[in-house]
Amino acid sequence: ALSIQRNCNEMGVETVAVYSDVDKGQPAIYLADQSICIGSGKSSASYLNVANILTAAIESGCEAIHPGYGFLAENGDFAEKVEACGLKLIGPSSKVINLMGNKLSARNLMEESGVPVVPGCNDVVRDEEQLYRIADEIGYPVLLKASAGGGGKGMRRIYKREDLVAGWELTRREAKASFANDDIYIEKLIENPRHIEIQILADSLGNVVYLPERDCSIQRNNQKIIEESPSRANSDLLEKMYESAVMCAKACGYEGTGTVEFIVDKYDNYYFMEMNTRIQVEHPITEQVIDYDLIREQILVAAGVPISGKNYTPKLHAIECRINAEDPYNDFRPSPGKITTLHAPGGHGVRLDTHVYSGYVIPPNYDSMIAKLITTAQTREEAIAKMRRALDEFVVEGVKTTIPFHLQLMDDPDYLAGNYTTKFMEDFKMKPQVGE
């Protein structure tokens, strides 16, 4: 919200902030031209309450709605209602959100468009006979995926045939509870891949360009923890992924600042995984390596301004650490509460995106991320050294944070060598706290 507001202020656009009652201490509320409480701390009563959000937008005279990074950012039904109210959603159309938000329909479109996809099925699994047949054909291990899944949810790895049916039924129940849709399909499980995503920018005239990629392989429970730009992929592989990302955006008629995500196996084969139609949390590292403001471009595209048509290649190296209010020494258990002391790091090449301050109370209601710490330098080695220094300076007291985890990771030999895949966190062990 702060990033969006700052851009709007620079562009002379007035803003209206909506918030839940537990977020009444947010800086975004006081920086907005207007602010409206839309419900209680329960997300279903506020940030997922479409009627309240649209009422606030209409009564305050808004022309457009920016959905941010989460909640309704990739919700096609919400986008349809925004359009029906005569408002502009800053992002793609509801048609594109629905098409690419369904992993199975997105997979099929990419296959038809010539973008590599993981071996698997092109339809929903309807019964046990079909389930066994497809899994036996592609070979174990396999990955069960919720067609309507997202945010790392709705996926289950199956390594043995005897676990297949039980895994399918459990994944269906989880998908039904999380997405109100229990459609499941199967893909071959690509073991220990790298997760590389391509940032794209597209306007309403059909112009599409690619921007520097991000390596997001270091994850926990399919949730990204650290991101880097550029990746360590070779130039030939990147050129192919850039081309496929542009093909993806053109095939679905995308408009805005989206991300096409790929997995890369140990043989440098790459496969389409999904498209995030919203702007992503980790977009700042792409901004840093090319000195570009993606939120600003997103707003301009929504206003009908054509893009330059220029592809961008990275000039610097950037790393982002997601700082969460979690205890890394206690299985990353969430740690809401009052921040009693906060000292932010600074200096050349250090960027801190945060909404918290000394005295701020982190509510237990939402995601535990409280800051994004980004360092930028001429080389990867310098960016790591700068990150280590910035993490040392970053003081947050009153709650537990993942700062100690990130500090240990910056000294990990495999990380320093760039030798990591999505399996990294399975092997990583936190060293004991000082004094233990």
Side-chain angles (χ1 to χ4, degrees):
L2 287 169
S3 179
I4 296 161
Q5 285 178 329
R6 286 164 177 158
N7 272 284
C8 287
N9 289 341
E10 292 170 10
M11 300 165 76
V13 177
E14 294 183 0
T15 59
V16 177
V18 294
Y19 63 98
S20 73
D21 59 6
V22 299
D23 274 342
K24 58 187 176 183
Q26 289 276 7
I29 295 170
Y30 304 102
L31 291 180
D33 295 282
Q34 299 180 57
S35 57
I36 300 172
C37 182
I38 53 171
S40 68
K42 190 176 180 180
S43 56
S44 60
S46 51
Y47 298 120
L48 291 173
N49 190 322
V50 174
N52 284 8
I53 292 170
L54 291 176
T55 299
I58 292 168
E59 290 188 351
S60 59
C62 287
E63 297 176 278
I65 295 178
H66 196 304
Y69 309 151
F71 288 114
L72 297 171
E74 291 180 293
N75 186 302
D77 291 338
F78 174 64
E80 287 178 8
K81 289 180 172 65
V82 171
E83 294 160 1
C85 289
L87 300 169
K88 175 67 177 179
L89 184 75
I90 299 179
S93 68
S94 57
K95 178 181 177 182
V96 172
I97 293 174
N98 285 326
L99 175 63
M100 301 310 288
N102 183 293
K103 285 183 165 56
L104 189 55
S105 64
R107 169 195 164 86
N108 291 340
L109 176 63
M110 291 304 99
E111 191 168 27
E112 293 168 6
S113 304
V115 176
V117 298
V118 178
C121 64
N122 295 327
D123 200 0
V124 175
V125 176
R126 300 297 181 189
D127 54 48
E128 292 182 17
E129 180 183 351
Q130 182 189 16
L131 181 72
Y132 278 125
R133 178 175 54 79
I134 296 170
D136 290 344
E137 285 176 0
I138 63 178
Y140 294 87
V142 299
L143 185 65
L144 301 176
K145 299 180 73 172
S147 181
K153 298 179 181 179
M155 295 189 287
R156 175 163 279 98
R157 302 173 183 180
I158 304 294
Y159 292 90
K160 297 181 296 184
R161 195 176 196 267
E162 52 265 36
D163 297 333
L164 188 60
V165 171
W168 176 55
E169 292 174 344
L170 183 57
T171 308
R172 289 182 66 191
R173 288 198 295 271
E174 291 175 350
K176 184 72 173 179
S178 298
F179 313 112
N181 184 329
D182 65 355
D183 288 345
I184 304 296
Y185 67 103
I186 310 177
E187 287 183 344
K188 177 70 177 176
L189 175 63
I190 307 299
E191 296 189 273
N192 307 329
R194 286 172 288 160
H195 182 147
I196 297 177
E197 57 189 33
I198 311 296
Q199 179 73 58
I200 57 101
L201 176 64
D203 63 23
S204 58
L205 303 176
N207 301 308
V208 182
V209 297
Y210 63 79
L211 292 87
E213 80 285 357
R214 302 182 286 259
D215 189 318
C216 305
S217 299
I218 297 183
Q219 305 175 7
R220 181 177 175 276
N221 297 333
N222 298 314
Q223 295 290 319
K224 300 166 187 173
I225 295 175
I226 294 217
E227 300 98 1
E228 290 194 52
S229 182
S231 70
R232 296 170 69 83
N234 67 67
S235 58
D236 290 340
L237 174 60
L238 284 173
E239 284 300 321
K240 293 175 183 176
M241 286 197 289
Y242 290 149
E243 181 181 353
S244 291
V246 171
M247 289 169 60
C248 170
K250 289 185 175 180
C252 68
Y254 185 79
E255 174 187 329
T257 52
T259 307
V260 185
E261 305 201 6
F262 298 98
I263 53 175
V264 181
D265 68 17
K266 60 184 178 181
Y267 304 108
D268 273 358
N269 298 309
Y270 72 98
Y271 307 97
F272 171 82
M273 187 173 70
E274 65 180 352
M275 182 182 193
N276 278 278
T277 54
R278 58 181 165 81
I279 193 163
Q280 288 189 273
V281 171
E282 61 269 26
H283 75 271
I285 54 172
T286 294
E287 294 181 333
Q288 292 298 113
V289 297
I290 55 174
D291 192 22
Y292 202 73
D293 194 316
L294 283 166
I295 298 288
R296 176 182 173 84
E297 292 304 313
Q298 188 184 30
I299 295 170
L300 290 173
V301 163
V305 178
I307 62 177
S308 67
K310 174 186 176 184
N311 294 312
Y312 289 83
T313 54
K315 301 178 177 66
L316 301 167
H317 196 98
I319 299 171
E320 175 177 293
C321 289
R322 299 192 186 196
I323 308 300
N324 286 28
E326 297 173 352
D327 185 358
Y329 295 101
N330 188 15
D331 197 30
F332 292 86
R333 183 176 179 177
S335 178
K338 184 177 181 178
I339 296 175
T340 55
T341 302
L342 185 142
H343 175 75
H348 184 264
V350 175
R351 169 177 169 178
L352 182 66
D353 287 8
T354 188
H355 61 288
V356 301
Y357 50 85
S358 293
Y360 177 77
V361 178
I362 303 168
N365 309 66
Y366 313 119
D367 188 272
S368 60
M369 187 172 68
I370 58 171
K372 296 183 290 185
L373 180 59
I374 304 109
T375 59
T376 310
Q378 295 289 329
T379 66
R380 181 174 189 265
E381 292 71 23
E382 292 174 7
I384 290 173
K386 201 176 288 285
M387 180 62 76
R388 190 183 293 116
R389 187 268 297 170
L391 288 164
D392 268 330
E393 285 185 19
F394 201 176
V395 177
V396 182
E397 296 179 348
V399 298
K400 303 288 187 180
T401 75
T402 52
I403 291 174
F405 158 70
H406 289 293
L407 273 167
Q408 289 189 25
L409 193 147
M410 289 299 129
D411 288 326
D412 183 87
D414 285 330
Y415 177 74
L416 292 173
N419 180 28
Y420 58 82
T421 68
T422 56
K423 190 176 181 288
F424 180 89
M425 282 300 294
E426 293 179 24
D427 301 324
F428 183 85
K429 303 296 182 186
M430 286 291 295
K431 297 175 184 177
Q433 287 177 280
V434 176
E436 283 191 355

